[in-house]
Amino acid sequence: MQTQAGRPGAGGAPQLRPASDTRPLEVQIIERAHQRSCAHGITRAQHPDLDLLSRADLALTLEANRALSGHAQPVMETLYDQIRNTHSMVILSDANGTILHSLGDSDFLAKADRVALGAGGCWSEQSRGTNAIGTALFEQQPTTVHAQQHYLDANRFLTCSAAPIFDHRGQVTGVLDVSGECGSFHQHTLALVRMSAQMIENQLLAGSFADCITLHFHSRAEFVGTLVEGMVSFSPGGRFLAANRSAQFQLGLSPAALASHTFSSLFGAPLSMLFEYYRRATPARLTLRLHNGISVHARAEMQLQTSDFQRTRDAAARPTTTATRPTRTGLQALDTGDARMHAVLTRVQRVIGRDIPILITGETGTGKEWLARAIHEQVQSRSTGGAPFVAVNCAAIPEHLIEAELFGYEDGAFTGARRKGAVGKIAQANGGTLFLDEIGDMPLALQGRLLRVLQERAVTPLGSERLVQVAFTLVCATNQPLADMARQHAFREDLYYRINGLQVSLPALRERDDLRQLIDIILAAEHAAVDDGSVMPQLSEEVLQRLLSHAWPGNLRQMTNVMRTALAMAAGESRIGLQHLPPEWMASEAPRASPPSGRQSAPLSLQDNEWETIERALQAHPGNVSAAARALGISRNTLYRRLKAHATSAPADQ
């Protein structure tokens, strides 16, 4: 019986193939690819599309794939060393077949340019017909396309060997390829590419979680520490996070099946045993037994930022802020598995210590102060530490007091002033970090004074003529469209450009795919803050699914409030159930539009539908509120009112 071939599902599940077809798999792959090419309306003699992405679009694509590129480029260089002087090149593409990077022999690169086989070129099957990159993406398995096997005549001077790269969720995130002149074809090239792709996958897994325990294992001791070892990561509490393909094979479980497991259920031992074992001065290699009875040799790698004791101490010592922040330090603490957050943190890391002001944008409650504190901690990690972090919420201070708060004042500067005056927030931040939150609400009259401070690196207190020299890292944040406000003269344009050295936008919680990690972090931090010596209760599966499927219009602040209340209601119990969640939150649940794990969400409320429509318009016209308003059929002022209403729709304490 013939079965229809189709694209694999999530996790690279194998395709169904005709049971009676005994031809080699590579022959079947090429034939299916040719059939798809014909169905796309491509003719063999047509000229290939030589258009490349614009410089701006390529920059955005590179930014979206920064983690992949960062881990792949060293591997690409090693691979190129093995094929050097063979009239070939090494190529990395994203999951759409768009080439991100390439390196190779100069004589071949010139030929490759003639068919747009370089950065910004798209090599999906839909645009190029049968080719190694596009066909490997569709088939989700290593593929060689040699000479005449290419669908387009223009590409038949090539021999290409490509392997898909899977991320820790089992999703294809890119393709590694070696392309060269067909006369230099080598049978072993595909094996080299496959091994290199596996190296990238392992490195992606190792860099996906800032706080985890990773077990490296194999049934044969000599294979631990090699490319074929299994790698599986767990949270500090023992919950499964991710596994590489070798681990999935050895465990006999798919990523979806592994998601419900823990260290104990997979390896038949409590996690505490692992901690005890590694307290030895020179621990030998572990021997563990898998859930299927197979004995394996293993070693553990613990990337734990703090111990439980340090978590408790840090949580108790932290100052009260408008949002509870993670107890770990530095930018790495915020890198919890979401690709957009990783891209933001990578960009910020590159300007740390270079006297470049950072402007953080995003919805209310997305963690702008978390990021500001992480920037401060990252800066301090390069120095002796101890410098102040000074946060000013420009929207929370009454307008008639903000000038005195920022700049300080001398004795008798105004009625009600304290004797001996007061040091302003700007001077307090000297040597450290000044965080100006909600800077869009700063009165226009003060914006000019702030601009002078930033230009002259000196501040003059109220009622004084003396200059106080200051030097600090400047981080500002807003949920308002400052560029539009500057064009409308609602915000000083010169100040906007002065504070906008690097602008990063934080994704809303409903857009992130690291909710489980965030829930764990917030739950642990809130429990540690209580400091009552109790054992932290675990979330029931019902609660976890409810938390994961929620849209979180109030973002991290709302999640923090919910977890804090749930912990209080579950005090003395071992598990947090639905009955412990805040009733008002349960009654006003907002399902996510695209919940994780493919779950179907309930219909969105009218308010959620409206905001989703606004979001789509803003994304379609980035930075142009007028164009977005026209697309929505409303005035620009109406759109601003809707944006403001949404930003203030979270609970009042947020």
Side-chain angles (χ1 to χ4, degrees):
M1 175 181 175
Q2 297 283 323
T3 55
Q4 184 178 5
R7 185 167 183 172
Q15 291 181 291
L16 295 175
R17 302 186 182 92
S20 60
D21 196 339
T22 59
R23 294 175 300 165
L25 176 60
E26 57 267 26
V27 174
Q28 298 179 48
I29 288 175
I30 296 300
E31 181 174 312
R32 289 199 297 269
H34 284 344
Q35 291 171 355
R36 291 191 297 269
S37 302
C38 183
H40 290 315
I42 301 172
T43 60
R44 295 178 184 273
Q46 77 180 49
H47 293 291
D49 180 7
L50 301 183
D51 288 340
L52 302 177
L53 288 181
S54 68
R55 188 172 296 178
D57 287 342
L58 179 59
L60 289 173
T61 303
L62 290 171
E63 185 65 32
N65 292 274
R66 189 169 292 278
L68 171 64
S69 298
H71 290 295
Q73 285 182 319
V75 178
M76 292 173 68
E77 292 169 3
T78 301
L79 178 58
Y80 177 58
D81 285 340
Q82 297 173 284
I83 65 165
R84 190 185 298 271
N85 299 323
T86 60
H87 309 290
S88 302
M89 66 191 294
V90 180
I91 297 168
L92 177 72
S93 87
D94 69 5
N96 297 314
T98 300
I99 296 177
L100 304 174
H101 302 285
S102 64
L103 66 158
D105 298 337
S106 56
D107 60 338
F108 180 72
L109 290 177
K111 296 179 180 179
D113 285 343
R114 295 203 293 265
V115 291
L117 190 61
C122 181
W123 281 73
S124 66
E125 280 191 345
Q126 291 91 329
S127 61
R128 300 299 180 108
T130 306
N131 73 89
I133 293 174
T135 302
L137 275 173
F138 192 97
E139 297 283 341
Q140 295 197 0
Q141 55 188 312
T143 303
T144 293
V145 179
H146 176 54
Q148 303 298 315
Q149 292 177 332
H150 286 88
Y151 196 80
L152 290 183
D153 292 341
N155 295 332
R156 290 184 172 180
F157 72 99
L158 295 169
T159 285
C160 309
S161 298
I165 301 167
F166 293 86
D167 66 15
H168 68 270
R169 303 174 191 86
Q171 303 292 326
V172 173
T173 188
V175 171
L176 185 67
D177 172 86
V178 168
S179 291
E181 293 182 353
C182 59
S184 60
F185 174 68
H186 292 285
Q187 293 286 347
H188 69 276
T189 302
L190 185 60
L192 285 174
V193 173
R194 290 180 65 174
M195 291 172 60
S196 299
Q198 194 169 345
M199 289 174 64
I200 297 170
E201 289 176 3
N202 288 351
Q203 291 177 20
L204 280 170
L205 173 61
S208 293
F209 306 97
D211 200 6
C212 68
I213 301 163
T214 300
L215 203 69
H216 304 254
F217 67 96
H218 201 279
S219 58
R220 295 174 59 177
E222 65 270 25
F223 287 160
V224 178
T226 71
L227 190 60
V228 298
E229 71 178 359
M231 293 174 60
V232 58
S233 294
F234 301 91
S235 72
R239 179 176 53 78
F240 171 83
L241 296 175
N244 70 353
R245 284 193 280 170
S246 176
Q248 295 169 32
F249 176 79
Q250 293 184 65
L251 292 165
L253 295 170
S254 67
L258 283 166
S260 61
H261 278 275
T262 63
F263 174 83
S264 298
S265 65
L266 289 174
F267 293 95
L271 189 65
S272 57
M273 177 276 296
L274 208 58
F275 289 108
E276 289 295 328
Y277 188 83
Y278 277 87
R279 283 177 182 170
R280 304 176 189 175
T282 55
R285 193 164 283 170
L286 279 164
T287 300
L288 297 170
R289 190 171 296 277
L290 303 184
H291 69 104
N292 53 19
I294 297 175
S295 181
V296 296
H297 305 272
R299 67 176 179 87
E301 187 175 285
M302 302 190 185
Q303 301 173 17
L304 303 181
Q305 304 299 309
T306 58
S307 67
D308 289 341
F309 169 76
Q310 287 171 317
R311 286 178 186 273
T312 303
R313 181 196 63 190
D314 291 347
R318 69 172 181 260
T320 301
T321 66
T322 55
T324 306
R325 65 184 182 92
T327 56
R328 293 172 287 157
T329 60
L331 297 175
Q332 189 183 30
L334 302 184
D335 197 355
T336 52
D338 179 77
R340 289 182 59 181
M341 274 301 297
H342 179 81
V344 166
L345 298 171
T346 302
R347 294 180 67 202
V348 169
Q349 178 68 58
R350 296 192 173 193
V351 303
I352 290 289
R354 298 193 178 188
D355 195 27
I356 296 175
I358 298 172
L359 176 61
I360 308 170
T361 64
E363 293 179 13
T364 299
T366 48
K368 293 188 280 290
E369 185 170 341
W370 283 23
L371 178 55
R373 287 185 177 274
I375 292 168
H376 172 71
E377 290 161 349
Q378 195 78 15
V379 172
Q380 293 305 302
S381 69
R382 300 184 176 191
S383 62
T384 56
F389 175 86
V390 178
V392 180
N393 188 324
C394 300
I397 303 174
E399 186 170 339
H400 66 283
L401 293 179
I402 190 171
E403 185 174 19
E405 283 287 322
L406 280 175
F407 302 104
Y409 53 87
E410 296 290 331
D411 181 15
F414 57 89
T415 304
R418 290 197 303 245
R419 295 192 60 184
K420 299 184 180 180
V423 178
K425 298 291 187 182
I426 293 175
Q428 290 176 29
N430 187 37
T433 301
L434 177 65
F435 175 50
L436 299 178
D437 197 7
E438 306 294 357
I439 192 169
D441 290 305
M442 178 178 286
L444 272 171
L446 291 189
Q447 292 176 23
R449 285 201 64 187
L450 176 61
L451 181 62
R452 286 196 298 274
V453 169
L454 299 179
Q455 291 171 338
E456 299 170 6
R457 301 299 178 96
V459 61
T460 304
L462 296 179
S464 173
E465 295 182 357
R466 63 185 177 90
L467 284 176
V468 179
Q469 297 297 316
V470 290
F472 47 75
T473 298
L474 178 65
V475 183
C476 300
T478 184
N479 62 358
Q480 299 189 53
L482 287 189
D484 286 337
M485 292 174 65
R487 284 190 287 269
Q488 297 171 5
H489 307 295
F491 191 87
R492 286 190 62 129
E493 190 173 23
D494 46 6
L495 178 61
Y496 171 68
Y497 290 119
R498 183 64 182 80
I499 65 176
N500 190 17
L502 171 70
Q503 184 173 154
V504 293
S505 180
L506 296 184
L509 208 54
R510 64 183 173 276
E511 300 167 348
R512 295 177 61 163
D513 54 12
D514 58 348
L515 288 192
R516 292 194 67 161
Q517 293 92 319
L518 290 173
I519 289 167
D520 285 345
I521 289 171
I522 293 174
L523 186 65
E526 290 301 316
H527 178 260
V530 176
D531 195 19
D532 60 359
S534 64
V535 176
M536 185 176 74
Q538 300 300 304
L539 299 172
S540 70
E541 187 61 28
E542 285 182 316
V543 168
L544 179 60
Q545 294 307 318
R546 195 68 67 92
L547 295 172
L548 291 174
S549 63
H550 193 69
W552 298 108
N555 291 302
L556 290 166
R557 292 177 180 172
Q558 183 187 21
M559 180 181 280
T560 298
N561 289 339
V562 169
M563 301 309 295
R564 184 181 299 144
T565 301
L567 278 169
M569 298 302 294
E573 301 185 37
S574 61
R575 295 182 74 78
I576 295 176
L578 293 175
Q579 70 275 20
H580 299 127
L581 297 176
E584 65 281 2
W585 179 80
M586 293 282 286
S588 62
E589 275 191 290
R592 298 179 77 190
S594 299
S597 306
R599 289 185 300 275
Q600 298 297 313
S601 67
L604 296 178
S605 68
L606 180 61
Q607 183 179 4
D608 289 330
N609 272 317
E610 177 188 82
W611 178 244
E612 191 174 66
T613 303
I614 289 173
E615 272 197 313
R616 284 198 295 268
L618 292 171
Q619 289 167 1
H621 305 279
N624 193 331
V625 175
S626 297
R630 284 195 298 271
L632 293 167
I634 59 178
S635 70
R636 186 167 58 179
N637 288 338
T638 299
L639 180 54
Y640 276 133
R641 285 198 300 272
R642 300 283 173 84
L643 289 168
K644 185 175 182 180
H646 177 77
T648 57
S649 63
D653 62 343
Q654 299 174 27

